Amino acid sequence: SDQQMYSCGSLAPKLKRGGGCMDHGFTRNKEPWEFSDGCVYLLRELSRTKKAGLLANYLDSLSELCYVDHFKHSAHLKENIFRSLVVIMNNLGKKFRSFL
């Protein structure tokens, strides 16, 4: 407990870009499933708006996405889809029945 404590700011000069807690200079390309995952979040948020009717155009694609499992993180994507579907169903209410 007598050890010296460091804050994020004290390490900033050693970091490559910008410094601070969140910018470590490490980046990687996004994988295709991560784009799909973001779209699931977007559809969930769309269901909360007055434009929820647009969601009908994408629910078939969302259901097809559940069958794609040839990549390492498919379980993460499916978890997000199923958790988001609960929110979407609650937001749409009885309107959701027409998609079943």
Side-chain angles (χ1 to χ4, degrees), residues 29-71:
N29 293 331
K30 288 186 177 30
E31 295 183 25
W33 77 269
E34 292 174 305
F35 288 107
S36 298
D37 197 50
C39 290
V40 172
Y41 281 108
L42 184 63
L43 292 175
R44 184 180 70 195
E45 294 304 312
L46 181 63
S47 73
R48 295 179 176 161
T49 68
K50 293 179 182 179
K51 300 285 186 180
L54 295 173
L55 191 62
N57 300 331
Y58 302 102
L59 285 179
D60 283 337
S61 298
L62 186 63
S63 66
E64 291 172 12
L65 192 56
C66 293
Y67 292 102
V68 180
D69 61 358
H70 63 276
F71 53 96

Side-chain angles (χ1 to χ4, degrees), residues 8-23:
C8 296
S10 66
L11 298 174
K14 297 178 180 118
L15 299 174
K16 290 182 180 180
R17 301 178 327 190
C21 294
M22 301 306 289
D23 190 2

Side-chain angles (χ1 to χ4, degrees), residues 2 4 20 22 29 51 53-54 58 78 85 94 96-97:
D2 288 337
Q4 186 172 358
M22 301 306 289
N29 293 331
K51 300 285 186 180
L54 295 173
Y58 302 102
K78 288 181 183 182
L85 270 176
K94 291 183 180 181
F96 188 79
R97 289 183 185 211

